[in-house]
Amino acid sequence: MGLAYNTYLNCARIFGCKGCKTHLSNQEDIMSRNFRGQHGKAYLFSHVVNVKESEPEERTMTTGKHIVRDIKCKQCKKTVGWKYDKAYEESEKYKEGKYILEGELLIHVY
């Protein structure tokens, strides 16, 4: 199986897992701050690191039906958000392949 190495980001503002401070993404990858998750404020990111994706499942969300995967911190295994695999509504297609990280589950590392 081998060792699992974390990716470390080098930028001005890094978002990390609140549980273990593992780097997840940075401010430059935020596409939108206008999202809500189970725990309140959430952010749409174009790119994240150090996460493990669950199996895809269909969910009905406030913006319609989507196929999503929960994402967990690779280090401490806590759920930090989800990834959009597919959006059925044409107006929601921009979310495909993007990630939601919930603000309450994040910490500013730098």
Side-chain angles (χ1 to χ4, degrees):
M1 180 166 161
L3 295 173
Y5 292 98
N6 285 341
T7 301
Y8 293 94
L9 302 171
N10 185 18
C11 54
R13 194 160 192 195
I14 297 170
F15 294 92
C17 172
K18 192 173 186 177
C20 66
K21 297 187 174 118
T22 295
H23 293 191
L24 298 174
S25 197
N26 63 64
Q27 186 169 356
E28 291 83 31
D29 288 329
I30 294 177
M31 296 179 66
S32 176
R33 299 172 190 273
N34 195 24
F35 281 81
R36 304 288 295 172
Q38 287 180 300
H39 304 283
K41 190 171 183 72
Y43 308 98
L44 182 69
F45 286 86
S46 59
H47 184 258
V48 298
V49 295
N50 301 320
V51 295
K52 186 157 176 70
E53 298 176 3
S54 70
E55 292 298 313
E57 63 180 70
E58 188 173 88
R59 289 190 197 153
T60 301
M61 303 177 138
T62 55
T63 56
K65 279 190 180 179
H66 300 275
I67 295 179
V68 298
R69 300 170 186 257
D70 285 335
I71 54 174
K72 297 177 186 279
C73 172
K74 187 166 80 172
Q75 191 68 35
C76 70
K77 313 290 190 267
K78 292 188 178 175
T79 300
V80 291
W82 65 89
K83 177 185 179 184
Y84 287 102
D85 278 352
K86 180 174 175 54
Y88 292 104
E89 299 290 326
E90 194 62 39
S91 62
E92 302 298 312
K93 294 276 188 196
Y94 73 96
K95 296 177 184 175
E96 292 181 351
K98 307 300 186 284
Y99 301 85
I100 292 288
L101 294 176
E102 297 203 45
E104 186 62 31
L105 308 175
L106 301 176
I107 190 167
H108 291 108
V109 179
Y110 296 132

